Amino acid sequence: MRLLLVEDSARLAELLGETVREAGWRLDAVTSIADAEAALALSEHDLVLLDLGLPDGNGLDLLRTIRRQHKDLPVLVITARGSIEERIEGLDAGADDYLVKPFHHREFLARCRAMLRRSPTALQPVLECGGLRFDPATAELSCDGVPVPLPPRERALVELLMRDAGRVVQKRKLELTLSEFGEEMTANALELAVSRLRKKLQPLPTRANLVTVRGVGYMLQAEA
Ligand code: CA
């Protein structure tokens, strides 16, 4: 799952960013309408979290643009503007849900989950390789039915490798896909994530091996 956060308050963006990443989703965080439009053009997102008071305009205008260009992309408006009229205006402009600040992070997550259940990513089948299972809807890895807790980066990495299990995934592709807006994943960071993932997989009763293909990339391969 990849979320786009459009929020100009650095403090709130940091808090929501942490919450979203801990849930196992990737996040692109931007602070203006212009950057949000650029991010939407660059990558596919499963959910947009939208603040309304933005430095270069009203988030409702961005919402109307999103509705024209990405008809099915769910949008959760997050704002301090909580009067009945404002909520109605937001929903009429195309918001799927509306959350008024301040809110509890658990309610925020529950609303995100509710919206993500309908996203095309959530409808993707569970990935399997050599006893490992990864459920794209919950972003959870398990081995022979036992959950395997992973930090966000390694979780995203194992998902990408399982999607292409048995095939080499190029380093460059992994770097690009794992990069979040404004925070690029370097070759060193990728190597580190791979070695951490390998350590996590090692003690598991899995028949999947994480293979390094020198100079090309990595492959998750189930033993025959
Ligand atoms: Ca704001």
Side-chain angles (χ1 to χ4, degrees):
M1 297 286 181
R2 194 178 188 116
L3 280 61
L4 176 66
L5 171 66
V6 193
E7 168 64 67
D8 63 326
S9 150
R11 175 86 189 114
L12 188 60
E14 194 185 321
L15 279 173
L16 293 180
E18 253 169 53
T19 308
V20 162
R21 290 190 182 101
E22 269 167 27
W25 305 320
R26 272 172 286 149
L27 182 78
D28 294 331
V30 297
T31 56
S32 68
I33 291 176
D35 286 351
E37 283 173 346
L40 284 166
L42 270 174
S43 353
E44 300 247 322
H45 297 92
D46 297 289
L47 173 63
V48 177
L49 311 167
L50 178 64
D51 177 31
L52 294 186
L54 292 164
D56 55 349
N58 185 337
L60 286 181
D61 294 330
L62 175 62
L63 181 52
R64 292 187 186 99
T65 310
I66 291 174
R67 274 299 149 263
R68 278 197 303 275
Q69 294 172 353
H70 312 263
K71 206 163 54 72
D72 300 320
L73 176 59
V75 177
L76 171 60
V77 167
I78 295 171
T79 178
R81 302 174 189 174
S83 74
I84 294 289
E85 286 71 25
E86 282 160 329
R87 287 174 195 235
I88 291 171
E89 193 188 5
L91 292 166
D92 280 347
D96 298 272
D97 201 357
Y98 203 98
L99 193 55
V100 178
K101 297 172 189 171
F103 47 81
H104 198 284
H105 75 278
R106 286 175 50 209
E107 183 184 359
F108 163 74
L109 275 179
R111 284 179 191 250
C112 289
R113 281 196 301 271
M115 299 176 88
L116 289 170
R117 274 199 285 274
R118 299 189 298 263
S119 93
T121 309
L123 301 175
Q124 285 169 4
V126 170
L127 306 167
E128 289 184 279
C129 178
L132 295 176
R133 275 172 66 93
F134 186 91
D135 184 348
T138 56
E140 272 166 5
L141 179 73
S142 61
C143 183
D144 287 345
V146 180
V148 182
L150 285 176
R153 205 159 234 187
E154 283 78 66
R155 204 162 15 179
L157 175 64
V158 81
E159 179 179 2
L160 286 170
L161 292 171
M162 286 184 74
R163 273 188 199 292
D164 276 322
R167 286 191 296 263
V168 183
V169 187
Q170 295 198 344
K171 274 187 194 175
R172 190 67 195 134
K173 183 185 171 188
L174 291 170
E175 285 164 22
L176 283 175
T177 321
L178 292 175
S179 288
E180 287 169 355
F181 208 67
E183 195 187 340
E184 212 188 317
M185 186 169 207
T186 60
N188 284 344
L190 175 62
E191 267 178 41
L192 190 65
V194 168
S195 92
R196 283 191 180 141
L197 178 60
R198 199 170 260 141
K199 269 191 203 129
K200 279 277 186 181
L201 297 182
Q202 212 163 23
L204 300 177
T206 170
R207 294 166 307 285
N209 293 315
L210 178 42
V211 182
T212 304
V213 183
R214 294 230 172 273
V216 184
Y218 301 95
M219 170 168 65
L220 198 67
Q221 196 174 34
E223 287 162 22

mmCIF file of all heavy atoms in Angstrom, residues 7-9 51-54 101, ligand 1:
data_model
loop_
_atom_site.group_PDB
_atom_site.id
_atom_site.type_symbol
_atom_site.label_atom_id
_atom_site.label_comp_id
_atom_site.label_asym_id
_atom_site.label_seq_id
_atom_site.Cartn_x
_atom_site.Cartn_y
_atom_site.Cartn_z
ATOM 1 N N GLU A 7 0.093 17.591 3.779
ATOM 2 C CA GLU A 7 -0.079 18.226 5.091
ATOM 3 C C GLU A 7 1.091 19.198 5.296
ATOM 4 O O GLU A 7 2.248 18.799 5.186
ATOM 5 C CB GLU A 7 -0.078 17.133 6.173
ATOM 6 C CG GLU A 7 0.036 17.625 7.606
ATOM 7 C CD GLU A 7 -1.155 18.457 8.033
ATOM 8 O OE1 GLU A 7 -2.260 17.912 8.135
ATOM 9 O OE2 GLU A 7 -0.971 19.674 8.255
ATOM 10 N N ASP A 8 0.790 20.446 5.608
ATOM 11 C CA ASP A 8 1.881 21.418 5.737
ATOM 12 C C ASP A 8 2.375 21.574 7.175
ATOM 13 O O ASP A 8 3.382 22.239 7.406
ATOM 14 C CB ASP A 8 1.466 22.779 5.157
ATOM 15 C CG ASP A 8 0.295 23.386 5.915
ATOM 16 O OD1 ASP A 8 -0.564 22.620 6.378
ATOM 17 O OD2 ASP A 8 0.252 24.622 6.050
ATOM 18 N N SER A 9 1.687 20.957 8.133
ATOM 19 C CA SER A 9 2.200 21.015 9.503
ATOM 20 C C SER A 9 3.247 19.914 9.674
ATOM 21 O O SER A 9 2.936 18.725 9.593
ATOM 22 C CB SER A 9 1.053 20.807 10.502
ATOM 23 O OG SER A 9 1.537 20.196 11.674
ATOM 24 N N ASP A 51 -5.020 17.470 3.935
ATOM 25 C CA ASP A 51 -5.288 18.634 4.771
ATOM 26 C C ASP A 51 -5.932 19.693 3.866
ATOM 27 O O ASP A 51 -5.714 19.695 2.650
ATOM 28 C CB ASP A 51 -3.934 19.121 5.341
ATOM 29 C CG ASP A 51 -4.085 20.380 6.171
ATOM 30 O OD1 ASP A 51 -5.140 20.568 6.802
ATOM 31 O OD2 ASP A 51 -3.119 21.170 6.197
ATOM 32 N N LEU A 52 -6.738 20.578 4.436
ATOM 33 C CA LEU A 52 -7.410 21.562 3.575
ATOM 34 C C LEU A 52 -6.683 22.911 3.516
ATOM 35 O O LEU A 52 -6.589 23.526 2.465
ATOM 36 C CB LEU A 52 -8.862 21.762 4.030
ATOM 37 C CG LEU A 52 -9.774 20.540 3.854
ATOM 38 C CD1 LEU A 52 -11.209 20.894 4.193
ATOM 39 C CD2 LEU A 52 -9.681 19.942 2.456
ATOM 40 N N GLY A 53 -6.163 23.370 4.664
ATOM 41 C CA GLY A 53 -5.462 24.657 4.669
ATOM 42 C C GLY A 53 -4.018 24.467 4.245
ATOM 43 O O GLY A 53 -3.168 24.094 5.046
ATOM 44 N N LEU A 54 -3.730 24.695 2.969
ATOM 45 C CA LEU A 54 -2.370 24.451 2.455
ATOM 46 C C LEU A 54 -1.767 25.777 1.988
ATOM 47 O O LEU A 54 -2.500 26.701 1.623
ATOM 48 C CB LEU A 54 -2.434 23.433 1.312
ATOM 49 C CG LEU A 54 -2.826 22.022 1.785
ATOM 50 C CD1 LEU A 54 -3.261 21.153 0.613
ATOM 51 C CD2 LEU A 54 -1.679 21.372 2.546
ATOM 52 N N LYS A 101 -9.508 17.266 13.168
ATOM 53 C CA LYS A 101 -8.425 17.388 14.161
ATOM 54 C C LYS A 101 -8.981 18.031 15.427
ATOM 55 O O LYS A 101 -9.793 18.936 15.326
ATOM 56 C CB LYS A 101 -7.309 18.281 13.613
ATOM 57 C CG LYS A 101 -6.603 17.785 12.383
ATOM 58 C CD LYS A 101 -5.676 18.894 11.869
ATOM 59 C CE LYS A 101 -5.113 18.538 10.508
ATOM 60 N NZ LYS A 101 -4.396 19.660 9.880
HETATM 61 CA CA CA B 1 -2.704 23.088 7.148
#
